[in-house]
Amino acid sequence: MSNPMRPPRAPRPSALLRPLTRSRAWTGPAARPALSAAALAGALLLSGCSGTADTEPPGSTSAKVNPSPAATPTWAPVTGKPQVIPAVREFHQAEGRGWRPSKGARVVVPAGEKSNVADEAQRMANDLGLGLVYGDQEVRPGDVEVKLTGKNTDNNVPVKSAADEAYTLKAAGTKLTLTAPTDAGIFYGTRTVKQAVHAAGGLPEGTIEDRPDRPQRGMSLDNARKPFSQNWIEDRLREIADLKLNQFQLHFSDDQGFRIQSDTHPEVVSADHLTKAQVRQIIALARTLHISVVPELDSPGHLGAVLAHYPALQLRNVQGRVIPGAIDISNPKSAPLIDSLLTEMSELFTNPKGAPAYWHLGGDEYQALMSSSPATKYPQLAKAARQKYGSRGTIEDLTTGWLNDRQKTVEDKGKNRIEAWNDGFFAGGVVSAPKSRMVDYWTGTEAGKRDPAEYLHEGRNVMNFNDAFLYYVLGEPNQFTYPTGQRIYQSWTPMVLRGTRPVAVPANMTGPDRIPGARFAIWCDRAQAQTVEQVAAGIRLPLAALAQKTWDPRTPALSWAEFKALAGRV
């Protein structure tokens, strides 16, 4: 996060795709518009079929779409490699003309209309203006067959590993076959097809074998300092889903605002906020796009919007001066207030049974610990630490205990993937954070300046939020500059956790099991510095670059100029 009192660098920030112009009418499982009339007309001209004309609209679920035997469609060959972002990991080229969307072509779903890939097939049919049929159908020239190879029948459940997101696309003999072990893999395959059609008119002949390198890839949004509308958020969800990003973190409470309706504490809610109904709709859309939502209610710092209504719980120093945004964790009334909000919000941010259930505790920039002499300046905290943890207890221990207790609160509501910012973890104390808590590493300028290697050596997993590359801070305060897609694309990988060099640990500590991925963070420290439209435009290319480097951290095949041009087409 960020705090104006912080030394050289403080806040937090995010970045990628172009603002959407699509109609808001597309909602629900098939929330994807078809190709534009001009683009689809061009595709059909290139792929004209000598068969009879369609008599039913794109996306029809009738088994009678173009029932007469279809002639083999004719089109100009699709050449080169698949043109998509992120680039596919493996492509085995073959001789042939490839596949393009053609007149009378259909998406065929053998598993049927009630299968868990039916919504993915419907989305692709809508995207490309194709027909849609279910059940035991002959796969004809020009068709796309969608088949699930795994046994998971649950629909739109977030995956647990990168292997669950793998898919195979085979273009052969004017037909296209999409297979995957889960519906998430099917979804990512449909994104590849959609992008390839936009970029090059279709897919070249051959087989794509694709899967991500890092299982967690996403965007974080500061909706507390600057409110963003439901429509804006949902447009970004669709954008990041097209890039195969699968996480959306929502920072909804800070000093400047509490942006979600609360029934237990309505007094803390800002005038401009999301209703619970809107949040449920956002969660529902994210689920259909295979995106996990990571809520963040930050404490014990960044609580100004809440504490404005509870002045007795504000932290004060030895002179009695109020410390903005910080709650007094020695006050016995502090924990019940925050726990009641955590409980209410945990019940709002629901998760499918068996799915990863994320929660972010915050934990950063607690002002008491940014002092040169915490025990001297905050004697009440030092006293409470000794009372709770014995003579060796410190304010760091008290803060760690606070976060441990908040973690238990959300775990009691079913949350099982807990995270906190790296400056909320402390070494050498009487009490420590559970090893299960993810370290979200954003900065190396905090008090103590712990290198990310320390967390990995402790056996902790570390999410990459490197503020030198992945922080889009409105107004560029505290030496921040807006990150560029080019810099991420050319100089960053998930192993670059701090600064500009890979973390100095053995290779077995840098794999997807220890550094599971990264999120691009948008922070609104100077909320009026950009409009929401400018934010959307500013984050477009950085998000594309992040998608590429988390999907495949190897040096990209395309130059930056080529990648940027491709991003403009897809």
Side-chain angles (χ1 to χ4, degrees), residues 458-481:
E458 288 174 5
R460 300 186 183 279
N461 295 341
V462 180
M463 177 69 77
N464 194 322
F465 276 85
N466 187 332
D467 65 352
F469 289 92
L470 307 180
Y471 259 38
Y472 193 92
V473 188
L474 297 198
E476 301 182 304
N478 300 311
Q479 302 179 34
F480 280 109
T481 57

Side-chain angles (χ1 to χ4, degrees), residues 308-331:
H309 303 274
Y310 294 89
L313 301 183
Q314 293 175 316
L315 179 65
R316 288 172 168 77
N317 64 15
V318 69
Q319 286 85 28
R321 183 174 67 85
V322 169
I323 308 303
I327 197 167
D328 185 349
I329 58 177
S330 69
N331 191 317

Side-chain angles (χ1 to χ4, degrees), residues 230-284:
Q230 177 186 358
N231 285 353
W232 192 95
I233 291 171
E234 290 183 348
D235 282 347
R236 301 293 80 70
L237 290 176
R238 294 185 181 97
E239 290 188 18
I240 67 175
D242 273 359
L243 291 169
K244 303 183 178 78
L245 300 176
N246 62 7
Q247 291 185 332
F248 172 64
Q249 181 174 328
L250 186 63
H251 177 84
F252 61 85
S253 172
D254 211 299
D255 296 344
Q256 295 80 358
F258 190 101
R259 303 291 178 182
I260 293 178
Q261 171 190 345
S262 170
D263 300 321
T264 61
H265 294 282
E267 70 281 358
V268 308
V269 179
S270 302
D272 195 342
H273 66 273
L274 298 170
T275 67
K276 287 187 174 181
Q278 289 176 316
V279 172
R280 292 187 185 101
Q281 290 166 0
I282 289 168
I283 295 169

